[in-house]
Amino acid sequence: MSKKELIYEAALRLFNTYGFDKTPTSQIAREAGVATGTLFHYFPTKEELINSLYLQCKESMISRIFQGVDEEKSYRAKIRRAYENMLRWGVFAREEFLFFQQFSNSPAILDSTHEAAETRFKPVMNLVLQGIEQEILKGIDPQLLLNAVMGMIMSNVLYLMGRSELLEEPDFLETTFAMVWDAIKK
């Protein structure tokens, strides 16, 4: 694992545990097993670290969401695959998920970082727009529809933490997906 990756991992754990303000860079460097100067080589400020980490988590989420989606034939199956992928990402990339939950609306995340994250999220928005255009999904503001879905999915991930075995139960997955699907289908 690279030094940068070690810093990311340590920062994730510490920010999730203590928050941004109560996590000194010296503690991040110590947890990562690198010199403080090495941390500052990669991230000149703690603000740059948290913003970079936010984008890293968003990229991790997006890459996971779309695994196998193109292989699905129907639109509903594509959404179902993306839904299950998102649940698995949240449960098995727990630190990233918790960081994303905690810092999505934090003032520590710059507007420019949110804009860069939205650019990375365009494939998800395009999938929503496709469903609206094909009159499969409700014809409402796509951002509102996406926010509602993400809220439901995030709640389901939180429910699954400590219950990951439910991810292997088809009835559970079908029931929870049906709740999401019923909320967005036309």
Side-chain angles (χ1 to χ4, degrees):
M1 185 174 298
S2 74
K3 290 180 181 184
K4 189 173 186 177
E5 291 168 329
L6 291 169
I7 293 167
Y8 275 147
E9 278 193 8
L12 269 175
R13 282 190 310 275
L14 293 169
F15 288 150
N16 284 341
T17 303
Y18 303 109
F20 178 72
D21 291 329
K22 293 185 179 170
T23 303
T25 53
S26 59
Q27 187 179 12
I28 296 169
R30 191 170 42 257
E31 281 277 324
V34 301
T36 304
T38 301
L39 185 147
F40 287 123
H41 169 74
Y42 290 107
F43 308 102
T45 66
K46 190 164 70 165
E47 289 75 14
E48 286 184 44
L49 171 58
I50 197 168
N51 280 273
S52 179
L53 191 53
Y54 181 82
L55 288 175
Q56 180 77 15
C57 289
K58 191 84 164 195
E59 287 173 8
S60 171
M61 179 197 319
I62 295 299
S63 69
R64 179 63 182 179
I65 287 174
F66 279 99
Q67 288 179 354
V69 168
D70 289 339
E71 299 165 16
E72 300 296 342
K73 305 249 185 284
S74 72
Y75 183 81
R76 184 183 190 279
K78 288 177 187 293
I79 297 295
R80 166 107 187 226
R81 175 68 72 102
Y83 168 76
E84 289 185 23
N85 288 346
M86 181 69 180
L87 291 181
R88 290 178 195 289
W89 174 79
V91 169
F92 297 114
R94 180 185 178 104
E95 293 292 337
E96 290 177 322
F97 172 81
L98 292 173
F99 176 87
F100 187 75
Q101 280 284 98
Q102 183 177 182
F103 290 100
S104 287
N105 296 308
S106 168
I109 305 302
L110 301 173
D111 288 343
S112 59
T113 301
H114 281 296
E115 289 168 13
E118 286 307 310
T119 299
R120 288 167 171 80
F121 215 63
K122 275 199 189 288
V124 175
M125 181 56 82
N126 289 341
L127 191 59
V128 170
L129 289 169
Q130 178 187 359
I132 292 170
E133 288 168 6
Q134 293 177 4
E135 298 186 357
I136 298 169
L137 300 182
K138 289 180 167 85
I140 62 174
D141 180 301
Q143 189 62 55
L144 177 62
L145 193 62
L146 185 57
N147 288 353
V149 168
M150 290 301 289
M152 293 176 75
I153 294 170
M154 297 296 188
S155 294
N156 288 345
V157 170
L158 290 171
Y159 177 81
L160 285 166
M161 289 194 176
R163 299 177 183 97
S164 62
E165 69 279 357
L166 292 173
L167 285 169
E168 305 311 319
E169 292 188 22
D171 289 342
F172 174 82
L173 291 173
E174 181 54 38
T175 299
T176 59
F177 176 70
M179 290 176 4
V180 170
W181 183 249
D182 289 345
I184 64 172
K185 73 177 182 178
K186 188 168 183 173

